[in-house]
Amino acid sequence: MAGTVLNFNVGVLGHVDSGKTSLSKALSTVASTASFDKNPQSKERGITLDLGFSSFNVDVNDDKKEELKGYSQIQFTLVDCPGHASLIRTIIGGAQIIDLMLLVIDVTKGMQTQTAECLIIGEITCHKMIVVLNKLDMVAPEKQTATVEKMKKRMWKTLESTKFSGCPIIAVAAKPGGPEAPETEATGVQELISTLQQSTYLPARSEDGDFIFSADHCFSIRGQGTVMTGTVLSGKVSTNDTVEIPSLGTSKKVKSMQMFRKPVEKIKQGDRAGICVTQFDPSQLERGLVCSAGALVTVEAAIVSMHKIAYYKSSVSNKAKFHITIGHETVMGKISLFCAPAESKEGQTETPEKKDSQSGATSAPVFDFSKEYDYLEELLLPGKQGTADLNQGTAKTVGEQFALIELERPVTCSPRSLVIGSRLDADIHTSACRIAFHGQILVALTDNKYKETILPNVKVFKIKTREGQVERATDKYSVIGKNLFKKETNLAAFANLKISLSSGERGTIEGGFGQSGKVKIRIPEGLSEETYQRYSGTSKKKGKGKEEPEGTAEGAGNPTVQSEPVKIFLNFKRFLYDPQKAMVQT
């Protein structure tokens, strides 16, 4: 079977009650152990609460045989994702294993909030999409053609700015009369199947690399063992191989395997299968990752490539907390943002637009520890990151954006996992998009002491600026500065740092002067005559200390006369993760 049948994973996503499960039933001929709302609560509430899996097979069309080399049949595995807003984390977990998305829309309602969120997830995780306008039977027969054409135009307009621009749109009635109506034949399904056949491509799959299996259901069969159903994300496994279940810290031998009730000896990347092992309690693992030994890591934090979602209208700010979804797990995490300066090509790494068929993530750059990175206050939109307020308000062009994401609890995942950040605590009844950003793990931090062992090697800096004033000149080559530091500041740490004066001179801090935070500054090239005359005190007193009127020769050299003071500017870099908190000047 593995040699002739291509398994192609199709995600069925859309707003709650748009008819996704009915569509999956209308399409499918083989249901898995996790399909069509088998959860008792699903039946009680009438909505899908978990991922459902089912499949149907079609022959490869003649015009597709060359493209789908070596395959005679396509097995479409349907991943029915829940549509309810509160279950978005389940949708994200399911979407990471799909090759094509069916976006199901109620033709009587059009795009809704969760429809838009599903579209965003599709953009992050897969190559192709087909829009399905469902519930055509709810429109009067004489109005169906006009309604469908109007909705198609609206959808194509909505999708213009996405990767799915111009995608196929098919109108169907998956369950005419609604869920409670007698069984009747669905309409439009054959046209949808034909469109699916034409949209199928050969995903870039390989047997190479570590075996990683995303298990979504687990159950026991008396006399056989425990079966874990799921999708192979990478690599391959054969019967009698040993697999690891990292979350439980145990390893098991593969006793047997099936792909939709047909026994197989081997499964590889992209296959949907059931793996049977022995001596294992299924209640210990509802969903999670299974792998070859050492293939997964348990991350405490990660350095991640960052891409903001255009539909997320709030800011993604430094130090903010988000729901971080990695695989099937969602945990809270704090983000610390930084970026490569766009002015320096050396500070960036090209990111080719290439996707892994199963992780869904764009090939990410290799993080370069030898480069310096700018601290970033706020994540910017891709393609619109020309300038940003960096380092306390300095406008600067930015390049590739990154984040250190610190998780509230460790997560076991692939070292290059897709990462999605959301605000799932937002009101689900509003129309606001809750998915904020996505990225890919570049560096998985597995040491719980990463702040001492790894972070000091990450060169993220802030530009610090201090401003003071010249109080007086002690001689042609020295001035006393005030208001540059507070009284309690350790001035020894600032010795030998370079400063500049607003009058143009440059100098070096020699050390503190007195007890009030003043400093003595050396001007190697000497003060200009004007600055020296103004602050040397040679013209301070005339008569009995009376000031000369402004504009006289004496008054012009008197710092007590109201005029713009000469300012002192101190600029330096401080690297955020440097344990010494050293100040660096270039």
Side-chain angles (χ1 to χ4, degrees):
M1 179 178 178
T4 59
V5 180
L6 169 66
N7 184 67
F8 197 76
N9 297 313
V10 178
V12 185
L13 289 84
H15 195 86
V16 65
D17 202 30
S18 58
K20 298 181 298 301
T21 302
S22 297
L23 180 64
S24 296
K25 285 181 179 178
L27 287 168
S28 299
T29 56
V30 178
S32 76
T33 54
S35 63
F36 309 146
D37 301 338
K38 292 203 171 184
N39 186 317
Q41 286 182 288
S42 295
K43 293 180 180 179
E44 183 183 323
R45 294 174 60 185
I47 61 172
T48 298
L49 295 178
D50 211 336
L51 300 175
F53 295 87
S54 55
S55 76
F56 65 98
N57 285 37
V58 298
D59 292 330
V60 174
N61 289 343
D62 290 340
D63 59 347
K64 279 279 184 177
K65 282 184 177 177
E66 186 176 347
E67 182 184 347
L68 305 179
K69 299 170 184 176
Y71 292 101
S72 59
Q73 276 197 322
I74 306 167
Q75 175 180 267
F76 288 110
T77 298
L78 302 177
V79 186
D80 179 16
C81 296
H84 198 272
S86 62
L87 302 171
I88 194 77
R89 52 169 60 87
T90 304
I91 299 173
I92 294 171
Q96 294 180 71
I97 61 173
I98 65 176
D99 301 308
L100 178 146
M101 178 171 72
L102 294 182
L103 184 64
V104 185
I105 294 175
D106 185 334
V107 73
T108 65
K109 296 178 181 178
M111 285 282 285
Q112 296 171 270
T113 304
Q114 277 75 63
T115 318
E117 290 184 336
C118 290
L119 174 60
I120 290 165
I121 293 168
E123 275 217 277
I124 296 169
T125 58
C126 69
H127 283 298
K128 290 191 175 185
M129 181 176 77
I130 298 171
V131 175
V132 181
L133 302 177
N134 195 17
K135 301 192 178 182
L136 190 59
D137 56 298
M138 302 299 286
V139 180
E142 67 275 11
K143 294 182 179 179
Q144 285 182 0
T145 302
T147 300
V148 169
E149 287 306 309
K150 182 179 178 181
M151 189 61 72
K152 280 185 176 181
K153 288 179 181 178
R154 187 183 299 174
M155 283 306 304
W156 278 322
K157 183 70 176 173
T158 300
L159 298 172
E160 267 182 356
S161 60
T162 74
K163 67 162 67 171
F164 303 125
S165 179
C167 73
I169 300 178
I170 309 297
V172 305
K175 184 68 172 71
E180 306 303 321
E183 290 297 325
T184 52
E185 188 175 350
T187 58
V189 171
Q190 284 306 315
E191 183 186 358
L192 177 56
I193 291 173
S194 296
T195 305
L196 275 168
Q197 286 176 284
Q198 290 303 314
S199 301
T200 302
Y201 60 93
L202 194 60
R205 291 174 180 163
S206 169
E207 295 185 11
D208 298 335
D210 292 319
F211 172 68
I212 301 176
F213 181 79
S214 177
D216 43 67
H217 290 84
C218 200
F219 57 93
S220 61
I221 299 177
R222 185 181 294 273
Q224 296 293 318
T226 298
V227 175
M228 300 174 289
T229 64
T231 303
V232 184
L233 301 183
S234 69
K236 68 179 188 302
V237 72
S238 303
T239 52
N240 295 319
D241 285 352
T242 298
V243 295
E244 191 176 88
I245 307 171
S247 61
L248 303 178
T250 185
S251 296
K252 297 292 177 184
K253 182 175 282 191
V254 177
K255 182 180 178 184
S256 63
M257 294 183 291
Q258 286 189 0
M259 290 177 64
F260 287 95
R261 300 176 185 175
K262 296 182 180 180
V264 292
E265 291 297 312
K266 181 179 77 173
I267 56 175
K268 66 180 185 301
Q269 185 185 55
D271 288 339
R272 171 82 190 160
I275 297 176
C276 183
V277 298
T278 56
Q279 298 177 332
F280 172 48
D281 181 0
S283 66
Q284 292 182 289
L285 182 75
E286 171 56 22
R287 70 160 47 102
L289 293 172
V290 180
C291 63
S292 54
L296 300 180
V297 294
T298 299
V299 298
E300 303 275 346
I303 295 173
V304 176
S305 61
M306 293 287 278
H307 308 277
K308 189 181 180 187
I309 301 298
Y311 300 101
Y312 185 76
K313 299 307 179 187
S314 299
S315 63
V316 178
S317 301
N318 199 60
K319 303 300 181 187
K321 287 189 175 183
F322 287 86
H323 291 89
I324 307 297
T325 301
I326 305 175
H328 282 294
E329 291 206 58
T330 299
V331 302
M332 291 301 293
K334 183 177 76 172
I335 64 170
S336 299
L337 299 168
F338 56 98
C339 65
E343 302 95 331
S344 170
K345 287 294 181 184
E346 294 181 4
Q348 301 181 72
T349 308
E350 292 298 320
T351 311
E353 287 297 318
K354 182 181 177 183
K355 279 201 169 185
D356 180 282
S357 61
Q358 292 307 314
S359 72
T362 302
S363 296
V366 175
F367 186 76
D368 191 341
F369 281 93
S370 70
K371 305 299 181 186
E372 292 186 359
Y373 299 90
D374 275 313
Y375 169 89
L376 189 61
E377 285 285 0
E378 183 179 324
L379 190 64
L380 304 171
L381 284 172
K384 295 184 179 179
Q385 54 203 58
T387 59
D389 286 332
L390 301 168
N391 299 323
Q392 302 181 340
T394 305
K396 195 167 185 176
T397 306
V398 305
E400 190 76 33
Q401 298 176 100
F402 305 92
L404 168 69
I405 300 182
E406 299 177 85
L407 305 175
E408 288 196 350
R409 64 174 173 81
V411 171
T412 300
C413 63
S414 165
R416 301 284 284 184
S417 285
L418 171 70
V419 176
I420 296 178
S422 316
R423 290 300 301 266
L424 302 181
D425 51 348
D427 185 355
I428 63 175
H429 301 294
T430 67
S431 59
C433 171
R434 296 171 298 158
I435 303 172
F437 60 83
H438 70 96
Q440 188 175 356
I441 293 178
L442 305 181
V443 182
L445 304 177
T446 58
D447 184 351
N448 59 10
K449 294 183 179 178
Y450 65 89
K451 290 181 180 179
E452 292 84 38
T453 59
I454 304 296
L455 283 193
N457 300 315
V458 182
K459 300 173 183 177
V460 178
F461 68 86
K462 263 186 168 184
I463 296 292
K464 296 284 190 177
T465 300
R466 288 177 178 262
E467 184 180 308
Q469 296 174 11
V470 173
E471 182 182 69
R472 59 190 172 88
T474 57
D475 58 47
K476 188 86 174 193
Y477 298 95
S478 299
V479 298
I480 304 301
K482 63 179 181 179
N483 302 334
L484 198 60
F485 302 103
K486 293 180 180 178
K487 181 180 179 180
E488 61 273 15
T489 304
N490 177 20
L491 299 181
F494 293 89
N496 300 317
L497 289 187
K498 299 170 185 175
I499 59 90
S500 60
L501 302 183
S502 58
S503 52
E505 297 89 340
R506 296 182 181 278
T508 304
I509 296 174
E510 289 191 330
F513 183 82
Q515 303 298 316
S516 59
K518 295 178 183 180
V519 288
K520 187 174 183 180
I521 296 169
R522 182 72 176 167
I523 311 295
E525 300 297 322
L527 293 168
S528 68
E529 191 62 34
E530 182 183 349
T531 306
Y532 179 66
Q533 286 295 327
R534 182 174 177 184
Y535 286 98
S536 65
T538 56
S539 304
K540 269 192 174 180
K541 295 183 179 180
K542 287 286 177 181
K544 294 184 179 178
K546 294 182 180 178
E547 295 175 6
E548 293 293 326
E550 187 177 355
T552 66
E554 292 84 356
N558 192 340
T560 61
V561 176
Q562 290 185 358
S563 60
E564 189 67 30
V566 173
K567 294 180 179 178
I568 304 168
F569 300 108
L570 170 62
N571 297 306
F572 57 89
K573 288 181 182 179
R574 178 162 274 168
F575 289 91
L576 270 59
Y577 306 120
D578 176 11
Q580 306 302 320
K581 302 295 181 187
M583 291 163 283
V584 179
Q585 289 182 315
T586 55

